[in-house]
Amino acid sequence: MTNPVDNLQQDPGEPERKHRPRVLKGGTVITGIQNSEVVVTLRNQHAGGAELKVPLESRVPDRFLLYVPLDGVAYRCEVRWRRNDRVGVKFIGIEPKPKMHYG
């Protein structure tokens, strides 16, 4: 007898779920548009990316710099998915702390 749960397939519209350690870190999305910044919260993070909680009224571009003071670096990010106040990003590189950010 087969287990019906084994036959379930992931919905192709859903983001791929890898083990993502839960974190609660503050961060800043730096858009590069007139030094525009959006304060966000990292909800989970792994070597390849993170899930961000963003204010609903905020506009987050498809590519941006995410500065995480606790990590001491800025991650070059590319948006992989968006849902309500959540944004999933892929890290495509890192940079030292941005000079214009004092946090």
Side-chain angles (χ1 to χ4, degrees):
M1 179 174 220
T2 62
N3 184 346
V5 175
D6 292 338
N7 295 328
L8 293 177
Q9 297 293 321
Q10 182 175 342
D11 179 359
E14 289 291 314
E16 183 180 335
R17 298 300 297 182
K18 295 180 182 176
H19 175 67
R20 295 179 179 152
R22 294 191 79 155
V23 298
L24 190 57
K25 295 180 184 178
T28 304
V29 169
I30 303 170
T31 65
I33 302 169
Q34 298 178 350
N35 294 325
S36 178
E37 296 183 355
V38 177
V39 176
V40 300
T41 302
L42 282 78
R43 297 194 32 93
N44 62 51
Q45 181 180 6
H46 58 93
E51 178 184 336
L52 311 178
K53 182 177 180 183
V54 301
L56 283 173
E57 67 279 1
S58 298
R59 296 185 138 214
V60 175
D62 291 335
R63 289 179 179 249
F64 58 87
L65 193 63
L66 172 67
Y67 175 58
V68 181
L70 198 59
D71 295 350
V73 297
Y75 300 94
R76 280 262 159 231
C77 296
E78 180 177 276
V79 172
R80 305 305 288 168
W81 57 267
R82 298 172 191 265
R83 190 174 304 116
N84 300 321
D85 65 344
R86 309 280 196 229
V87 176
V89 298
K90 175 181 178 182
F91 297 149
I92 53 177
I94 60 170
E95 296 184 13
K97 176 182 172 183
K99 291 183 173 98
M100 71 277 202
H101 198 283
Y102 300 106

